[in-house]
Amino acid sequence: MGFFDSQVVQQEAKQLFEDYQSLMQLGGEYGKFDREGKKLYIERMEQLMERYRIFMKRFELSEDFMAQMTVQQLKTQLDQFGITPQQMFDRMEMTLKRMKSEIEP
């Protein structure tokens, strides 16, 4: 069975995409959130990033050809912006830390 044939992989990919889309839509209203709303939004983003990091690690560790191709495609896309997958995660983490610092009293 291939990596993408797994029901678990398919469900997690679908859920990650839906959660990401939902948070991005909600993020458009971030400036209108009160302090607690901003904290909750940041926490949800942190949780999503951790899930995404784990999901990508599964791809990297898999010996499945399609999983490895997916990793290579991501690296190629990010390379166009001059960053690695690790730098992408680092930048997201830095952004969330900055957002946290802006709402702390």
Side-chain angles (χ1 to χ4, degrees):
M1 177 168 67
F3 190 80
F4 291 101
D5 295 330
S6 165
Q7 289 282 14
V8 172
V9 170
Q10 290 176 20
Q11 182 59 39
E12 181 62 12
K14 180 179 183 277
Q15 195 62 55
L16 272 170
F17 180 75
E18 289 173 358
D19 292 349
Y20 175 79
Q21 290 293 94
S22 176
L23 280 172
M24 289 302 101
Q25 281 184 321
L26 194 58
E29 302 294 316
Y30 181 82
K32 298 178 184 176
F33 296 167
D34 64 9
R35 185 173 180 272
E36 290 304 310
K38 288 178 180 180
K39 284 173 59 176
L40 184 58
Y41 180 82
I42 293 167
E43 286 173 18
R44 293 231 174 112
M45 282 298 295
E46 288 173 330
Q47 292 166 358
L48 181 70
M49 290 303 105
E50 183 60 22
R51 286 174 43 214
Y52 185 61
R53 189 185 307 262
I54 291 167
F55 192 69
M56 289 307 300
K57 187 54 79 175
R58 288 182 187 149
F59 277 87
E60 291 172 11
L61 295 175
S62 174
E63 295 179 8
D64 182 78
F65 176 75
M66 291 304 294
Q68 289 302 309
M69 286 299 297
T70 301
V71 170
Q72 282 308 115
Q73 287 175 338
L74 175 64
K75 287 179 179 179
T76 299
Q77 289 172 345
L78 291 174
D79 192 49
Q80 292 174 1
F81 297 101
I83 64 172
T84 66
Q86 183 58 50
Q87 289 170 321
M88 175 189 73
F89 284 115
D90 291 346
R91 288 180 183 185
M92 286 190 269
E93 188 176 312
M94 283 178 18
T95 298
L96 291 171
K97 282 182 180 180
R98 182 181 43 79
M99 290 169 72
K100 273 184 179 179
S101 73
E102 290 172 356
I103 61 171
E104 291 176 354

